[in-house]
Amino acid sequence: MISSHTRVMFRATLAICGRTVAKRFISSLSGESALPSNLRLPPNLIGVAPQKRAFPSSSDLPVLRRCEADIPAHLAPAQTWLESLGSRDSEPLGVVDLHPDVFSVPLRLDILHAVEVWQRNFKRISHAKVKSRAEVSGGGRKPWNQKGSGRARHGSIRSPLWRGGGVAHGPRGPSSYYYMLPMKVRVQGLKIALTAKLAQDYLHIVDSLEIPTPDPHYLLDLVKHRQWGDSVLIVDVGDEFPQNILKVTEDMKTVNIIPAIGLNVHSMLKHESLVLTLEAVKFLEKKLLWHDVRYAPLYPFKLPYSDLPSFSLHQMLIDGLEWIIVMYLSAVLTRNLTAPIHCRGSIGEQVI
Amino acid sequence: MSASVRSMSLTVCRAATVAYRAFNPATRSLRSRGFIESTEEFRFVERLVPPSRIPTPPKHEGPAPSGWIPPSATPPSLPYMIRRSRMHNVPVYSDIKHGNQHSTLLRKIEGDIWALNKDVKEFLLGLTGKEPPTQVNEITGTIRIKGLFDKELKDRLLKKGF
């Protein structure tokens, strides 16, 4: 039984190699073995090869969406189909333009790896801690005289040499693996992931997320029929999503919906297919292209700049102070109200 | 449980803030103390806040008075393309290591990087009489040349229209 991971890899190989692989496979059957062994596909491969609709290449199709930002003169916009989730068998509505500096960047797999590893590790706090010889209880006294007893000389019964003694170089306390990659590297990682999805035919642009029924089978059927893959990540902008799609994706493990600010490299690599709405594409292009034309930050970008929408500094300080007081009071009251009865007296006596 | 405690303490805090501000003579509303409030002068503060985007330079025909030369409107018809940096300059940089190892770095190269490498080597052969060793990095789109040639390379690229 081929695992899903291997199946994904084979699909990816199919998507990239295309017809040339089949041609080479035939030539290897005739005894020439031109194809290296890692690219030869087994004849009993499970799963239908996807019937890929050719990418829109002719220029006579009406373009339903042009890029807002200026495209450099030597580059042409990437194009892909605009689809609809309205019905299972609906044809693509047309062609959309995608900005080449977001969807056709050079594929730097090293940057993608670095961003993925960072995403996994920067949040990690390992709580492993073992007692050293100072912390293990006991061991203050010299067990026997230095000379005369005939036994080896020791200073304490809890040294690392002893059974039951402390660990010499063990993990010490909660340790953090926090580090930050430069902002531009993380932005480039997102652009490369989007480019990779588009290049491997796993990116689908959708006009809106309205589906006719809140039935999960409808969406699963649609995904299977259109051969979008095993897992789908749906991205939209804004606070409100249509109720149907929310209900459908709530209990599904493989089809997930996130707002556009939550788009990250790990989720894009984890899910096989990425579905963006037109609004999400506009938002992502705007945010990711800004990093190509921005100054180095004089002060953090969270604070107001003349062309960035931000809270005012004054309001932020007031809100911050209020929030600190609220958190402190709530912590104190929760501690007092939820402590066991025999402790409440002692907690109340502590100075607040 | 903690959510209700938090919302309770939020209302308590906000009520306390309002009451403090109303009764403290220093923070009573300015109108009750005989002042006129106006927000018209805030524009003097707003114009001090810097922008976050680098502005596109105004259109110049030929070199600007400072010596800056804009890129040509149509990209040159060569198999490679060299973009401008974010401050609209030619991306040629000089580097020095260990005090005596000079090199020139050519960045932001797209397209056929080996054609540009050949071009650069021919140009520097004509300039100095010997071919300088170069290091081509296809993945990052950069060429590092041994020796300091940043002025000459910049002039050549500007002449070509990059």
Side-chain angles (χ1 to χ4, degrees):
Chain A
M1 180 63 189
I2 300 178
S3 72
S4 63
H5 174 61
T6 334
R7 206 179 301 154
V8 163
M9 266 169 44
F10 279 139
R11 264 196 58 135
T13 325
L14 263 176
I16 293 166
C17 300
R19 268 186 229 124
T20 48
V21 172
K23 276 194 212 142
R24 286 180 178 178
F25 189 49
I26 292 165
S27 77
S28 74
L29 274 179
S30 63
E32 283 164 17
S33 67
L35 200 60
S37 56
N38 61 331
L39 289 180
R40 247 177 262 147
L41 299 167
N44 56 346
L45 186 62
I46 302 171
V48 179
Q51 308 300 322
K52 277 193 303 298
R53 199 178 303 113
F55 264 141
S57 53
S58 56
S59 50
D60 54 354
L61 289 164
V63 175
L64 296 179
R65 184 229 169 221
R66 299 253 178 221
C67 302
E68 275 92 20
D70 293 327
I71 300 177
H74 66 288
L75 293 173
Q79 290 193 319
T80 188
W81 297 108
L82 177 69
E83 302 179 29
S84 160
L85 292 178
S87 74
R88 177 186 182 263
D89 297 314
S90 63
E91 288 295 310
L93 305 170
V95 163
V96 293
D97 269 353
L98 300 172
H99 202 285
D101 278 339
V102 176
F103 288 93
S104 314
V105 299
L107 284 172
R108 291 279 305 268
L109 295 182
D110 58 327
I111 294 184
L112 208 59
H113 171 79
V115 174
E116 162 64 28
V117 164
W118 166 79
Q119 241 188 296
R120 274 209 306 263
N121 289 337
F122 85 106
K123 288 183 268 203
R124 178 178 167 206
I125 297 182
S126 98
H127 295 277
K129 180 173 183 177
V130 292
K131 293 185 165 27
S132 66
R133 64 181 287 174
E135 288 165 353
V136 176
S137 84
R141 181 173 61 198
K142 195 166 166 64
W144 46 77
N145 288 352
Q146 178 81 1
K147 301 189 74 59
S149 67
R151 286 171 285 185
R153 51 191 177 178
H154 287 290
S156 95
I157 56 165
R158 302 299 191 200
S159 92
L161 270 46
W162 282 65
R163 172 194 173 275
V167 177
H169 293 297
R172 295 299 299 152
S175 61
S176 122
Y177 290 77
Y178 174 79
Y179 67 103
M180 289 306 279
L181 283 177
M183 202 193 303
K184 291 182 198 162
V185 172
R186 287 177 269 137
V187 165
Q188 191 66 20
L190 278 173
K191 291 181 185 164
I192 291 168
L194 288 169
T195 311
K197 288 292 180 195
L198 179 66
Q200 291 185 321
D201 204 22
Y202 284 137
L203 182 74
H204 306 279
I205 314 284
V206 152
D207 54 349
S208 87
L209 296 181
E210 305 282 348
I211 49 174
T213 59
D215 182 19
H217 293 291
Y218 169 76
L219 198 61
L220 283 171
D221 197 33
L222 188 141
V223 166
K224 204 171 180 113
H225 171 74
R226 295 191 190 177
Q227 291 176 325
W228 278 0
D230 292 323
S231 47
V232 181
L233 184 64
I234 307 178
V235 183
D236 193 9
V237 185
D239 310 316
E240 304 296 328
F241 291 161
Q243 279 301 320
N244 281 350
I245 194 100
L246 280 180
K247 216 185 260 215
V248 161
T249 47
E250 210 170 347
D251 290 316
M252 274 211 255
K253 271 183 14 180
T254 54
V255 180
N256 296 316
I257 184 165
I258 52 166
I261 33 171
L263 191 63
N264 58 86
V265 163
H266 176 77
S267 299
M268 284 204 269
L269 293 177
K270 184 90 181 166
H271 295 80
E272 205 171 318
S273 190
L274 183 66
V275 171
L276 300 174
T277 54
L278 284 174
E279 297 294 322
V281 170
K282 183 167 144 191
F283 173 85
L284 286 172
E285 281 188 1
K286 183 167 141 235
K287 290 278 175 176
L288 295 176
L289 287 170
W290 171 75
H291 286 277
D292 287 338
V293 290
R294 63 168 175 87
Y295 282 115
L298 270 179
Y299 45 85
F301 288 118
K302 283 194 174 52
L303 299 179
Y305 282 79
S306 63
D307 51 359
L308 281 188
S310 252
F311 304 123
S312 73
L313 182 59
H314 182 58
Q315 189 58 36
M316 253 179 71
L317 280 178
I318 293 177
D319 285 347
L321 204 59
E322 218 175 55
W323 192 241
I324 290 167
I325 295 172
V326 161
M327 294 297 282
Y328 180 67
L329 278 177
S330 68
V332 162
L333 289 172
T334 318
R335 188 186 61 174
N336 281 355
L337 291 169
T338 56
I341 295 218
H342 65 274
C343 291
R344 274 183 209 167
S346 55
I347 288 176
E349 277 160 16
Q350 288 168 17
V351 176
I352 295 176
Chain B
M1 169 70 208
S2 62
S4 65
V5 166
R6 196 170 292 175
S7 60
M8 203 170 66
S9 39
L10 193 65
T11 39
V12 160
C13 183
R14 292 219 170 112
T17 321
V18 166
Y20 175 73
R21 285 191 183 147
F23 287 107
N24 190 352
T27 55
R28 249 190 352 231
S29 94
L30 291 170
R31 227 173 275 124
S32 60
R33 295 200 295 172
F35 289 96
I36 306 166
E37 286 183 14
S38 153
T39 49
E40 302 302 321
E41 284 76 21
F42 192 66
R43 59 190 174 89
F44 296 109
V45 174
E46 274 178 342
R47 68 185 194 183
L48 292 172
V49 178
S52 69
R53 261 176 195 263
I54 298 171
T56 47
K59 285 254 165 280
H60 290 278
E61 300 302 327
S66 65
W68 178 77
I69 301 176
S72 63
T74 49
S77 55
L78 289 161
Y80 47 84
M81 171 68 190
I82 301 179
R83 286 211 207 184
R84 291 285 181 110
S85 71
R86 63 178 64 209
M87 298 291 186
H88 311 288
N89 297 322
V90 177
V92 174
Y93 309 98
S94 59
D95 199 5
I96 184 166
K97 266 180 23 167
H98 325 117
N100 51 12
Q101 189 193 86
H102 304 275
S103 57
T104 313
L105 181 63
L106 198 55
R107 277 189 66 234
K108 293 184 83 95
I109 303 167
E110 293 169 16
D112 190 355
I113 198 168
W114 293 101
L116 174 62
N117 185 41
K118 197 160 81 83
D119 223 353
V120 156
K121 282 201 171 176
E122 275 167 12
F123 169 65
L124 291 175
L125 181 68
L127 203 68
T128 53
K130 52 184 175 187
E131 229 179 50
T134 60
Q135 180 196 43
V136 170
N137 190 332
E138 288 179 25
I139 302 169
T140 50
T142 57
I143 296 178
R144 191 174 279 275
I145 307 157
K146 183 173 172 185
L148 276 181
F149 303 108
D150 54 332
K151 275 198 205 51
E152 292 88 351
L153 276 175
K154 258 196 206 142
D155 293 332
R156 173 141 163 100
L157 291 175
L158 284 169
K159 217 154 44 90
K160 286 215 183 142
F162 284 117

